[in-house]
Amino acid sequence: IYLLCLATPLIYCVCTVLLKAINIISEVPNTDKEKIERLNLLARKSRETGLTDEEKSEQDALRNEYRDNIRKSLNGQLERTYVIDENGNKRKLVKGKE
């Protein structure tokens, strides 16, 4: 990642945001950590013995909640991210087309 960061300021900026997002994931509150542990347990059980219908729906709900939290966290980081071009101009990242 760091080698790519040397290429352009924009790539450096994106790499920094991704690394910060990884750190945020490791600093989730205990309740979220418990949910992640439960999600991992369900994934392990799914591979080993299979899941009941209730467990499958719980797993889906936990996965969706986890994805939403990651998405919100990354969007929050990106909203506070600025790019400094080669002339020293600071500009805010603009959300692209979906």
Side-chain angles (χ1 to χ4, degrees):
I1 290 176
Y2 291 109
L3 293 176
L4 290 175
C5 295
L6 298 174
T8 65
L10 180 58
I11 293 175
Y12 172 77
C13 187
V14 170
C15 291
T16 303
V17 169
L18 291 175
L19 291 172
K20 286 181 182 179
I22 291 168
N23 288 334
I24 289 171
I25 293 169
S26 64
E27 298 172 359
V28 291
N30 286 338
T31 56
D32 287 343
K33 284 186 180 182
E34 291 168 2
K35 289 179 184 179
I36 292 170
E37 288 174 10
R38 177 68 178 158
L39 187 56
N40 289 334
L41 176 85
L42 289 171
R44 216 173 7 261
K45 184 178 178 190
S46 174
R47 285 189 302 271
E48 294 171 359
T49 60
L51 298 175
T52 65
D53 289 337
E54 287 179 10
E55 290 171 329
K56 286 180 185 178
S57 63
E58 179 186 6
Q59 185 182 38
D60 287 341
L62 288 170
R63 282 180 177 166
N64 290 335
E65 184 179 347
Y66 178 77
R67 280 188 215 115
D68 290 342
N69 288 340
I70 296 300
R71 201 171 286 128
K72 287 177 189 174
S73 174
L74 185 56
N75 283 334
Q77 283 291 323
L78 290 172
E79 287 175 3
R80 294 184 299 278
T81 301
Y82 291 85
V83 177
I84 300 175
D85 64 15
E86 60 276 351
N87 297 325
N89 299 323
K90 182 177 174 181
R91 62 181 172 89
K92 191 169 183 155
L93 282 180
V94 179
K95 187 174 182 179
K97 296 178 183 178
E98 294 184 14

